[in-house]
Amino acid sequence: MRRLLVLASGRGSNFRALLEAAKHGVLRAEIVALGVSKRESGAVQIAEAHRLPILFTPTEDEILDFVKRERIDAVILAGYMRILTPKFIEALRDDQGISRIVNIHPSLLPSFPGMNAYAQAFDAGVRETGITVHLVEKEVDGGPILEQKTFRIDQMRSAEEVEARGLPIEHDLFPRTVDWFVNGEYRVEKRGGRPYVRPA
Ligand code: GRF
Protein backbone atom coordinates (compact mmCIF):
# COMPACT_ATOMS: atom_id res chain seq x y z
CA MET A 1 0.00 0.00 0.00
CA ARG A 2 1.23 3.49 -0.87
CA ARG A 3 1.81 5.73 2.12
CA LEU A 4 0.47 9.29 2.01
CA LEU A 5 0.93 12.44 4.05
CA VAL A 6 -1.95 14.93 3.71
CA LEU A 7 -1.37 18.64 4.33
CA ALA A 8 -4.33 20.94 5.02
CA SER A 9 -5.09 24.36 6.44
CA GLY A 10 -8.86 24.74 6.48
CA ARG A 11 -12.09 22.97 7.20
CA GLY A 12 -10.77 19.63 5.94
CA SER A 13 -13.63 18.35 3.82
CA ASN A 14 -11.23 17.03 1.18
CA PHE A 15 -9.12 15.39 3.86
CA ARG A 16 -12.26 13.67 5.13
CA ALA A 17 -13.13 12.52 1.60
CA LEU A 18 -9.63 11.05 1.19
CA LEU A 19 -9.94 9.16 4.50
CA GLU A 20 -13.37 7.80 3.54
CA ALA A 21 -12.08 6.72 0.13
CA ALA A 22 -9.10 4.98 1.72
CA LYS A 23 -11.45 3.19 4.12
CA HIS A 24 -13.62 1.94 1.27
CA GLY A 25 -10.79 0.97 -1.06
CA VAL A 26 -11.58 3.69 -3.62
CA LEU A 27 -8.20 5.15 -2.71
CA ARG A 28 -5.77 2.25 -2.50
CA ALA A 29 -3.34 3.89 -0.10
CA GLU A 30 -2.79 4.46 3.57
CA ILE A 31 -3.08 7.98 4.97
CA VAL A 32 -0.29 7.94 7.52
CA ALA A 33 -0.61 11.41 9.03
CA LEU A 34 -1.96 14.93 8.67
CA GLY A 35 0.12 18.11 8.66
CA VAL A 36 -1.57 21.47 9.32
CA SER A 37 -0.39 25.01 8.81
CA LYS A 38 -3.00 26.28 11.29
CA ARG A 39 -3.74 24.71 14.66
CA GLU A 40 -7.42 25.68 14.45
CA SER A 41 -7.90 23.87 11.14
CA GLY A 42 -11.04 21.71 11.05
CA ALA A 43 -8.90 18.94 9.62
CA VAL A 44 -7.31 18.53 13.08
CA GLN A 45 -10.55 17.25 14.63
CA ILE A 46 -11.05 14.85 11.76
CA ALA A 47 -7.53 13.45 12.21
CA GLU A 48 -8.06 13.14 15.98
CA ALA A 49 -11.31 11.26 15.42
CA HIS A 50 -9.35 8.81 13.23
CA ARG A 51 -6.48 8.65 15.75
CA LEU A 52 -4.03 9.81 13.13
CA PRO A 53 -0.75 11.50 14.02
CA ILE A 54 -0.75 15.27 13.38
CA LEU A 55 2.20 17.48 12.50
CA PHE A 56 1.35 20.95 13.80
CA THR A 57 2.68 23.87 11.73
CA PRO A 58 5.65 21.85 10.46
CA THR A 59 8.52 23.52 8.61
CA GLU A 60 9.38 22.16 5.19
CA ASP A 61 12.45 20.44 6.64
CA GLU A 62 10.29 18.76 9.29
CA ILE A 63 7.93 17.55 6.57
CA LEU A 64 10.85 16.18 4.54
CA ASP A 65 12.25 14.41 7.61
CA PHE A 66 8.85 12.86 8.21
CA VAL A 67 8.57 11.77 4.56
CA LYS A 68 11.94 10.05 4.79
CA ARG A 69 11.45 8.50 8.20
CA GLU A 70 7.93 7.22 7.45
CA ARG A 71 8.68 6.23 3.82
CA ILE A 72 5.93 8.47 2.45
CA ASP A 73 5.25 7.94 -1.26
CA ALA A 74 3.36 11.15 -1.98
CA VAL A 75 2.31 14.38 -0.27
CA ILE A 76 -1.31 15.38 -0.88
CA LEU A 77 -2.32 19.03 -0.54
CA ALA A 78 -5.96 19.30 0.52
CA GLY A 79 -6.47 23.03 0.92
CA TYR A 80 -2.93 23.73 2.14
CA MET A 81 -2.50 27.50 2.19
CA ARG A 82 1.27 27.67 1.96
CA ILE A 83 3.41 28.18 -1.09
CA LEU A 84 6.07 25.48 -1.21
CA THR A 85 9.68 26.39 -1.96
CA PRO A 86 11.49 25.08 -5.05
CA LYS A 87 13.84 23.17 -2.72
CA PHE A 88 10.92 21.28 -1.19
CA ILE A 89 9.42 20.52 -4.59
CA GLU A 90 12.77 19.25 -5.91
CA ALA A 91 13.16 16.98 -2.88
CA LEU A 92 9.90 15.23 -3.73
CA ARG A 93 10.42 13.91 -7.24
CA ASP A 94 10.42 10.30 -8.37
CA ASP A 95 13.15 8.68 -10.51
CA GLN A 96 11.49 10.00 -13.68
CA GLY A 97 11.47 13.56 -12.36
CA ILE A 98 7.70 13.53 -11.79
CA SER A 99 6.52 15.55 -8.79
CA ARG A 100 5.21 13.48 -5.87
CA ILE A 101 3.05 16.36 -4.59
CA VAL A 102 -0.62 16.47 -5.63
CA ASN A 103 -2.94 19.47 -5.22
CA ILE A 104 -6.63 20.17 -5.80
CA HIS A 105 -7.68 23.54 -7.16
CA PRO A 106 -11.30 24.65 -7.51
CA SER A 107 -11.20 26.00 -11.06
CA LEU A 108 -10.50 24.78 -14.56
CA LEU A 109 -6.79 25.61 -14.60
CA PRO A 110 -5.10 27.51 -16.14
CA SER A 111 -8.12 29.78 -15.56
CA PHE A 112 -8.43 31.37 -12.12
CA PRO A 113 -5.32 30.31 -10.21
CA GLY A 114 -4.81 31.64 -6.69
CA MET A 115 -7.28 32.36 -3.92
CA ASN A 116 -11.10 32.22 -4.02
CA ALA A 117 -11.26 30.49 -7.37
CA TYR A 118 -15.00 29.76 -7.14
CA ALA A 119 -15.69 33.46 -6.60
CA GLN A 120 -13.27 34.42 -9.36
CA ALA A 121 -15.16 32.21 -11.81
CA PHE A 122 -18.56 33.51 -10.69
CA ASP A 123 -17.45 37.15 -10.91
CA ALA A 124 -15.95 36.60 -14.36
CA GLY A 125 -19.32 35.45 -15.66
CA VAL A 126 -17.96 32.29 -17.28
CA ARG A 127 -20.57 29.77 -18.39
CA GLU A 128 -18.76 26.86 -16.83
CA THR A 129 -15.96 26.27 -14.38
CA GLY A 130 -14.49 23.14 -12.87
CA ILE A 131 -12.12 21.33 -10.58
CA THR A 132 -8.50 20.46 -11.31
CA VAL A 133 -6.25 17.89 -9.67
CA HIS A 134 -2.65 18.53 -10.63
CA LEU A 135 0.96 17.91 -9.70
CA VAL A 136 2.77 20.68 -7.86
CA GLU A 137 5.55 22.54 -9.61
CA LYS A 138 7.22 25.87 -8.89
CA GLU A 139 4.58 27.88 -10.74
CA VAL A 140 1.66 28.22 -8.31
CA ASP A 141 -1.31 26.17 -9.59
CA GLY A 142 0.76 25.48 -12.72
CA GLY A 143 1.97 21.84 -12.60
CA PRO A 144 0.88 19.01 -14.91
CA ILE A 145 -2.86 18.43 -14.86
CA LEU A 146 -3.96 14.94 -13.80
CA GLU A 147 -7.76 15.29 -14.01
CA GLN A 148 -10.42 17.94 -14.53
CA LYS A 149 -14.17 17.99 -14.23
CA THR A 150 -16.33 20.83 -15.50
CA PHE A 151 -19.75 22.04 -14.43
CA ARG A 152 -22.07 24.78 -15.63
CA ILE A 153 -22.56 27.83 -13.47
CA ASP A 154 -24.47 30.15 -15.79
CA GLN A 155 -27.74 29.69 -13.89
CA MET A 156 -26.15 30.26 -10.49
CA ARG A 157 -26.75 33.35 -8.40
CA SER A 158 -23.79 33.48 -6.04
CA ALA A 159 -20.23 32.30 -5.52
CA GLU A 160 -21.54 30.26 -2.57
CA GLU A 161 -23.82 28.36 -4.91
CA VAL A 162 -20.89 27.64 -7.21
CA GLU A 163 -18.88 26.31 -4.27
CA ALA A 164 -21.78 24.20 -2.99
CA ARG A 165 -21.97 22.54 -6.41
CA GLY A 166 -18.19 22.20 -6.73
CA LEU A 167 -17.32 20.68 -3.37
CA PRO A 168 -19.02 17.30 -3.87
CA ILE A 169 -17.24 17.11 -7.24
CA GLU A 170 -13.93 17.76 -5.46
CA HIS A 171 -14.69 15.02 -2.95
CA ASP A 172 -15.32 12.53 -5.74
CA LEU A 173 -12.55 13.54 -8.16
CA PHE A 174 -9.68 14.01 -5.71
CA PRO A 175 -9.50 10.51 -4.13
CA ARG A 176 -10.07 8.75 -7.46
CA THR A 177 -7.28 10.74 -9.09
CA VAL A 178 -4.85 10.33 -6.19
CA ASP A 179 -5.58 6.60 -6.41
CA TRP A 180 -4.35 6.07 -9.99
CA PHE A 181 -1.52 8.53 -9.62
CA VAL A 182 0.03 7.14 -6.44
CA ASN A 183 -0.36 3.60 -7.72
CA GLY A 184 1.62 4.47 -10.84
CA GLU A 185 -1.23 3.73 -13.23
CA TYR A 186 -0.34 6.46 -15.69
CA ARG A 187 1.66 7.21 -18.80
CA VAL A 188 3.85 10.24 -19.32
CA GLU A 189 4.14 12.09 -22.61
CA LYS A 190 5.66 15.42 -23.51
CA ARG A 191 3.40 18.26 -24.59
CA GLY A 192 4.78 21.70 -25.18
CA GLY A 193 8.06 20.43 -23.73
CA ARG A 194 6.41 19.55 -20.43
CA PRO A 195 5.33 16.22 -18.95
CA TYR A 196 1.73 15.29 -19.59
CA VAL A 197 0.42 12.70 -17.15
CA ARG A 198 -2.66 10.66 -18.05
CA PRO A 199 -4.26 7.54 -16.57
CA ALA A 200 -2.92 4.40 -18.26
C1 GRF B 1 -11.10 23.39 -1.55
O1 GRF B 1 -12.02 24.17 -2.31
C2 GRF B 1 -9.87 23.08 -2.36
O2 GRF B 1 -10.13 22.87 -3.72
C3 GRF B 1 -9.04 24.32 -2.18
O3 GRF B 1 -9.24 24.69 -0.83
C4 GRF B 1 -10.51 24.21 -0.39
C5 GRF B 1 -10.27 23.36 0.82
O4 GRF B 1 -11.47 22.93 1.40
N1 GRF B 1 -7.65 24.08 -2.52
P1 GRF B 1 -11.46 21.81 2.53
O5 GRF B 1 -10.54 22.29 3.65
O6 GRF B 1 -10.94 20.55 1.90
O7 GRF B 1 -12.88 21.66 2.98
Side-chain angles (χ1 to χ4, degrees):
M1 282 281 258
R2 302 299 179 182
R3 294 168 60 76
L4 310 181
L5 170 65
V6 178
L7 301 179
S9 302
R11 112 198 101 184
S13 69
N14 278 287
F15 173 53
R16 188 195 300 277
L18 291 163
L19 284 170
E20 287 295 315
K23 192 165 100 189
H24 294 110
V26 172
L27 167 56
R28 293 161 297 157
E30 181 187 351
I31 296 172
V32 175
L34 171 75
V36 287
S37 62
K38 291 183 196 154
R39 283 188 170 266
E40 60 277 19
S41 163
V44 168
Q45 286 156 30
I46 299 168
E48 283 171 352
H50 286 79
R51 301 187 186 284
L52 276 183
I54 304 170
L55 308 176
F56 286 101
T57 62
T59 64
E60 286 191 346
D61 284 343
E62 286 166 349
I63 297 171
L64 290 176
D65 284 347
F66 185 87
V67 164
K68 209 168 170 191
R69 194 170 64 241
E70 292 291 329
R71 304 179 324 279
I72 297 296
D73 295 295
V75 173
I76 312 300
L77 309 183
Y80 191 58
M81 307 300 274
R82 283 261 176 97
I83 295 185
L84 301 167
T85 66
K87 183 183 159 228
F88 184 85
I89 294 165
E90 289 311 314
L92 286 168
R93 285 192 193 284
D94 70 11
D95 305 344
Q96 287 184 289
I98 301 289
S99 173
R100 288 191 289 137
I101 313 170
V102 185
N103 184 42
I104 184 162
H105 184 78
S107 77
L108 218 48
L109 289 172
S111 292
F112 313 124
M115 299 286 288
N116 304 317
Y118 284 126
Q120 289 189 54
F122 179 75
D123 292 348
V126 291
R127 294 302 183 248
E128 55 181 20
T129 186
I131 307 298
T132 303
V133 181
H134 67 96
L135 299 180
V136 173
E137 287 292 348
K138 283 193 287 287
E139 309 78 29
V140 175
D141 300 325
I145 290 167
L146 299 177
E147 288 284 13
Q148 290 184 310
K149 175 107 182 158
T150 58
F151 59 99
R152 293 199 70 122
I153 63 170
D154 47 352
Q155 304 295 325
M156 294 189 182
R157 292 169 181 276
S158 68
E160 290 70 32
E161 199 179 336
V162 177
E163 180 167 6
R165 174 83 180 89
L167 270 175
I169 298 174
E170 294 192 38
H171 300 157
D172 173 60
L173 189 71
F174 200 19
R176 286 194 294 108
T177 306
V178 170
D179 174 69
W180 64 250
F181 177 71
V182 301
N183 286 295
E185 294 169 357
Y186 59 82
R187 59 194 160 83
V188 182
E189 293 164 15
K190 282 267 159 81
R191 277 209 189 180
R194 306 186 70 206
Y196 169 88
V197 182
R198 281 295 175 272

